[in-house]
Amino acid sequence: MKTISENACFGGSQGVYTHASTTCNCDMTFGLFLPAEARDGPVPVLWYLSGLTCTHENAMTKAGAQGWAAEQGIALVFPDTSPRGDDVADDEAYDLGKGAGFYVNATEDPWKPHFRMWDYVAEELPALIGEQFAVDLDRQAITGHSMGGHGALTLAMSLPGRYRSVSAFAPIANPSASDWGKKQLGAYLGDDQAAWARHDATLLMAEKGFDGPVLIDQGASDQFLDLLKPEALAAAIAEKRQQATFRMQPGYDHSYFFVSTFMEDHVTFHAEALWSA
């Protein structure tokens, strides 16, 4: 692991690091904010998964999360959204390939040698930060935006006991029924609809739900509402009687202006779960 940068931030440190990933078979970069409390011992961890076209840097610089995390004494991890490098397959479109890993393990060519973002976020990166930094992996929570909201919800529901809470900003909520999903899941996972279902938050909510609190914010003026399909997830939450808060926010779109507006609510929501006995 190499340190790219470390900057003082709200009494703690915002770092950027790179490492050789055996999961993705390339070098991967991530951001990690550690509050001041990490100098005295391990602190809880909140994962932030970003959306299409993003790197680790977008949320790290635009979401305004570090100040709220510093108040709560929790760490923030900002993984990249896909593998990178000259040997990594890509596509001309913005919504497939680099910057669009969709948090799945690809089984189809040309994607399968590198696009294993599920295992990277669920296994390799937690093990690395647990070994290298003062974080408490018994106290984890997860959030994300758009494609990252999809990833946060599907990881949380598929890994029971891993995360104490889950939230999402404008998640891709029903990808197996959306053009933001059919294309990517078909490319990465092939034609097997059962494989798609394992990465669909609406279907997972109907089948499994989440053993803990859920918070979802969706901008009512989001320009991608037809692709996100929040109504499908809201219906599944209601039918499952899931412990959840689902908020439609009037006037807000899909941008980081929306994310940063409600970031304090999300960090506070997760801190309550992370610091509970």
Side-chain angles (χ1 to χ4, degrees):
M1 191 185 75
K2 297 179 181 178
T3 300
I4 302 301
S5 62
E6 288 181 334
N7 296 93
C9 183
F10 292 100
S13 174
Q14 176 61 64
V16 177
Y17 309 93
T18 186
H19 70 107
S21 168
T22 57
T23 299
C24 296
N25 295 306
C26 63
D27 287 346
M28 295 292 288
T29 303
F30 66 95
L32 174 66
F33 170 74
L34 291 172
E37 288 84 349
R39 301 187 189 106
D40 300 320
V43 295
V45 182
L46 174 59
W47 294 82
Y48 184 101
L49 305 186
S50 289
L52 290 167
T53 76
C54 292
T55 69
H56 69 282
E57 189 174 19
N58 294 71
M60 190 180 79
T61 59
K62 295 180 181 180
Q66 291 92 337
W68 307 121
E71 284 193 10
Q72 301 292 345
I74 61 178
L76 297 167
V77 186
F78 303 100
D80 202 347
T81 56
S82 77
R84 308 279 177 175
D86 293 340
D87 296 332
V88 175
D90 201 8
D91 189 87
E92 293 181 356
Y94 74 94
D95 57 356
L96 189 67
K98 294 177 185 177
F102 234 71
Y103 305 102
V104 302
N105 290 335
T107 58
E108 304 298 305
D109 289 325
W111 313 106
K112 65 182 181 181
H114 300 284
F115 282 73
R116 302 189 59 81
M117 290 302 295
W118 180 279
D119 282 354
Y120 179 71
V121 172
E123 303 299 337
E124 184 177 22
L125 189 53
L128 177 67
I129 67 166
E131 178 183 310
Q132 298 289 334
F133 300 98
V135 296
D136 181 0
L137 295 182
D138 290 330
R139 294 175 182 265
Q140 297 186 68
I142 191 166
T143 188
H145 173 229
S146 194
M147 179 185 73
H150 141 80
L153 290 166
T154 56
L155 282 158
M157 286 187 278
S158 299
L159 300 172
R162 173 71 63 88
Y163 307 104
R164 295 195 174 195
S165 51
V166 59
S167 74
F169 300 87
I172 300 175
N174 191 195
S176 64
S178 167
D179 288 342
W180 265 1
K182 291 179 180 179
K183 174 182 179 178
Q184 294 86 350
L185 296 176
Y188 295 141
L189 303 177
D191 297 330
D192 182 4
Q193 297 278 326
W196 295 16
R198 293 194 292 271
H199 296 281
D200 187 306
T202 295
L203 300 180
L204 286 170
M205 179 60 68
E207 178 189 357
K208 298 181 178 182
F210 177 66
D211 186 19
V214 178
L215 172 63
I216 297 171
D217 275 310
Q218 171 63 62
S221 297
D222 193 314
Q223 59 271 44
F224 303 116
L225 276 176
D226 290 345
L227 295 168
L228 301 171
K229 296 192 176 299
E231 68 283 354
L233 180 57
I237 286 172
E239 186 172 352
K240 193 68 174 179
R241 299 181 180 177
Q242 169 69 46
Q243 177 189 358
T245 300
F246 194 114
R247 309 188 298 193
M248 294 295 293
Q249 301 291 1
Y252 286 91
D253 60 14
H254 200 69
S255 70
Y256 266 92
F257 297 111
F258 157 65
V259 173
S260 61
T261 297
F262 299 103
M263 181 56 70
E264 180 185 7
D265 290 355
H266 284 245
V267 173
T268 301
F269 164 79
H270 290 295
E272 290 175 357
L274 288 168
W275 286 115
S276 65

